[in-house]
Amino acid sequence: AEYMGGEVVTTVPTIGFNVETVEYKNIKFTVWDVGGQDKLRPLWKHYYASTNGIIFVVDSNDKDRANQAKAELHKILGEDEVRNAILLVFANKQDLPNAMSTEEVTDKLGLRSFGSRTWFIQGACATTGEGLYEGLEWMSANIKKVQG
């Protein structure tokens, strides 16, 4: 389930991937929900052109896959087309009792190793929408700086 415009929308697991355009504070976000499908990952790089910002959603409750998430994130951010893109990480599922804190997710993903890249981590709960607007607010303000 995900939170969209005041209502919770239940989604089915991504087959292939979904593309939507979302507008927030006069910024158009083209959102590719590429899910976690290994087979599709080599195709991701074809969508990086003109990317100003990346939103990376992490399951804070899945400590076992944190290293895999780190590897994917670092691979994405290593691509030349996204060298100037800002990064917003949503540490999702913060409502669950065993979820990693944003500090722990920061460490597990190695966010401090990105040098001059502008990044922000926001605790979130997609089912209630908690944290989503705060993250988009940060993205909106910082994308405007990147675009000049």
Side-chain angles (χ1 to χ4, degrees), residues 42-53:
L43 301 176
W44 290 3
K45 64 179 178 240
H46 299 293
Y47 295 88
Y48 294 158
S50 303
T51 296
N52 298 310

Side-chain angles (χ1 to χ4, degrees), residues 4 19-23 27-31:
M4 294 194 55
V19 180
E20 286 182 49
T21 301
V22 178
E23 195 164 327
I27 295 176
K28 278 192 178 164
F29 293 92
T30 302
V31 180

Side-chain angles (χ1 to χ4, degrees), residues 29-148:
F29 293 92
T30 302
V31 180
W32 289 282
D33 177 359
V34 289
Q37 298 201 9
D38 296 341
K39 286 183 232 155
L40 297 175
R41 287 186 183 150
L43 301 176
W44 290 3
K45 64 179 178 240
H46 299 293
Y47 295 88
Y48 294 158
S50 303
T51 296
N52 298 310
I54 294 172
I55 299 175
F56 193 79
V57 181
V58 177
D59 182 341
S60 301
N61 202 48
D62 195 347
K63 290 182 175 134
D64 296 339
R65 291 182 59 207
N67 282 337
Q68 182 183 358
K70 177 183 179 179
E72 290 299 333
L73 179 59
H74 285 254
K75 190 188 305 176
I76 290 166
L77 296 180
E79 295 286 342
D80 196 45
E81 296 90 343
V82 298
R83 70 185 169 281
N84 297 321
I86 64 172
L87 172 68
L88 168 61
V89 175
F90 277 122
N92 194 26
K93 301 188 182 178
Q94 288 293 302
D95 55 318
L96 299 179
N98 296 318
M100 294 179 282
S101 67
T102 55
E103 187 60 35
E104 196 174 350
V105 173
T106 297
D107 292 340
K108 295 266 187 205
L109 294 181
L111 296 181
R112 291 187 188 90
S113 70
F114 291 134
S116 63
R117 183 181 303 273
T118 301
W119 62 269
F120 182 71
I121 184 165
Q122 175 66 52
C125 175
T127 55
T128 65
E130 187 179 333
L132 299 183
Y133 287 112
E134 293 87 340
L136 290 177
E137 197 63 42
W138 177 87
M139 178 67 83
S140 170
N142 284 278
I143 283 248
K144 288 175 182 164
K145 289 179 195 170
V146 171
Q147 293 174 332

